[in-house]
Amino acid sequence: MRQLKRHWPFHLMILPSLVFLILFSYLPMAGIVMAFQDFKPRLGITGSEWIGLDNFRYMFEREDSLEVIWNTLVIAVLKIIFNLAAPFIFALFLNEVRKELFKRYVQTMVYLPHFLSWVILGGILIDILSSDGGFVNRLLGMVGIGPIFFLGEGNWFRFTVIISEVWKEFGYGTIVFLAALSNINPSLYEAAEVDGASRWKQTLHITMPSMVPMAIVVGTLALGNILNAGFDQIFNLYNPLVYDKGDIIDTFVYRTAIISGEMGFGTAVGLFKSIISMILIFVSYRMAYKLANYRIF
């Protein structure tokens, strides 16, 4: 209490954040009761009929529910793999650049897309990937390749989603690996040079092994988000033509709960995803601790 009285201005400063957190993160959690109801908006939460786990049973009986769970896993796993490999490799190459000004320029340029929203990027991608005169298809036409319907064919849609995600985020991931590289003891390289090791052998035997613990931490912690395949990105890019390959849990919840009015069922799907995600977060954190001695507290 003495510390609280002494530093009350600082505690007062976090009050707006706490109010914001309670209003928009904790109070809405009361809505999960709809997952156990045949929810009718005109009756509300207190008047709607309780149906137990029927919404969850219905979720596993619907063919499109299982389809979106599979789509979510495929897209999320591929994103994790490529979002781990791309910044890892790029950081290795960037670390070899000796001109600091050029290195910082490149680092800044690849980091910039991280700040662009998917609303903006979605509009740009739809325009340049259009099969009707889009920039990319015009380039392909110049080398004799016919138009590709990037956002209208399931497999091409997945490819576009993953590549665009990697392009947007690999600059951010590169910073993490560059930070790991800066912690490598320079005396290791000096000793290797004395022993006659080439730059490639120094990279192979010093740099890469030093980055492995960070790669394990990033990879295992990413498992906690394996069911978050990217609502903003998918929502701004997809259309009914690619629902079979591109619809994920978050967009499925939006379509069923908001568009189709099946709020109870949509809430059940969202709750199912949240429970699985919470379990994966605990598992991934435990794995990061076991494999790389990573811990928050």
Side-chain angles (χ1 to χ4, degrees):
M1 288 301 293
R2 184 181 299 172
Q3 291 291 327
L4 183 63
K5 288 179 181 178
R6 181 181 299 175
H7 301 296
W8 69 267
F10 299 108
H11 289 89
L12 188 63
M13 289 171 66
I14 66 171
L15 184 61
S17 301
L18 284 176
V19 172
F20 186 88
L21 184 69
I22 292 170
L23 283 178
F24 295 100
S25 297
Y26 285 93
L27 286 182
M29 288 176 67
I32 63 175
V33 297
M34 290 191 294
F36 306 96
Q37 292 180 323
D38 182 16
F39 182 77
K40 305 292 183 188
R42 59 186 172 80
L43 298 176
I45 289 177
T46 56
S48 297
E49 180 187 0
W50 290 89
I51 56 173
L53 299 175
D54 285 359
N55 281 326
F56 293 93
R57 294 193 190 94
Y58 183 48
M59 178 179 68
F60 288 105
E61 290 171 1
R62 281 182 59 156
E63 187 176 338
D64 53 354
S65 298
L66 302 178
E67 191 174 77
V68 297
I69 292 173
W70 174 249
N71 289 340
T72 305
L73 289 173
V74 170
I75 292 174
V77 168
L78 289 175
K79 279 185 177 181
I80 289 174
I81 294 172
F82 285 99
N83 273 328
L84 185 62
F88 186 93
I89 296 170
F90 187 76
L92 283 176
F93 281 111
L94 196 59
N95 189 54
E96 297 302 315
V97 176
R98 290 293 169 259
K99 294 185 178 180
E100 281 299 318
L101 186 62
F102 177 74
K103 186 176 178 179
R104 292 182 184 280
Y105 173 76
V106 172
Q107 189 176 335
T108 303
M109 292 304 294
V110 298
Y111 187 40
L112 282 179
H114 173 73
F115 297 101
L116 297 176
S117 74
W118 278 113
V119 176
I120 297 172
L121 288 178
I124 295 172
L125 287 172
I126 290 171
D127 186 49
I128 66 173
L129 297 177
S130 169
S131 60
D132 185 19
F135 175 72
V136 174
N137 272 311
R138 274 189 288 162
L139 285 180
L140 293 175
M142 293 171 65
V143 294
I145 299 177
I148 296 175
F149 207 1
F150 288 100
L151 301 177
E153 199 278 322
N155 291 324
W156 278 112
F157 179 79
R158 281 183 182 173
F159 172 80
T160 305
V161 164
I162 292 161
I163 294 299
S164 58
E165 166 79 9
V166 171
W167 168 74
K168 184 175 183 295
E169 298 297 342
F170 89 98
Y172 180 81
T174 300
I175 291 176
V176 176
F177 287 112
L178 286 175
L181 287 170
S182 67
N183 288 326
I184 299 175
N185 190 346
S187 63
L188 295 175
Y189 292 107
E190 293 169 1
E193 285 180 1
V194 171
D195 290 340
S198 64
R199 196 66 192 171
W200 166 244
K201 287 190 174 180
Q202 291 177 36
T203 301
L204 194 63
H205 297 291
I206 299 175
T207 307
M208 292 182 69
S210 300
M211 292 173 66
V212 167
M214 180 57 71
I216 292 173
V217 170
V218 174
T220 51
L221 293 182
L223 291 176
N225 289 318
I226 199 168
L227 294 184
N228 292 322
F231 172 82
D232 291 343
Q233 182 190 21
I234 302 290
F235 182 73
N236 283 288
L237 291 176
Y238 84 157
N239 58 73
L241 293 175
V242 294
Y243 279 171
D244 61 330
K245 294 289 182 69
D247 202 14
I248 59 174
I249 292 177
D250 288 332
T251 52
F252 182 68
V253 169
Y254 171 79
R255 287 197 299 110
T256 53
I258 305 300
I259 304 299
S260 302
E262 299 176 85
M263 294 187 178
F265 175 69
T267 307
V269 177
L271 181 60
F272 167 77
K273 178 205 158 186
S274 298
I275 293 172
I276 299 298
S277 295
M278 186 179 68
I279 294 171
L280 289 174
I281 287 172
F282 280 115
V283 171
S284 60
Y285 179 73
R286 191 65 183 167
M287 287 175 62
Y289 174 68
K290 286 286 186 185
L291 297 174
N293 199 29
Y294 171 83
R295 56 192 307 175
I296 298 175
F297 303 108

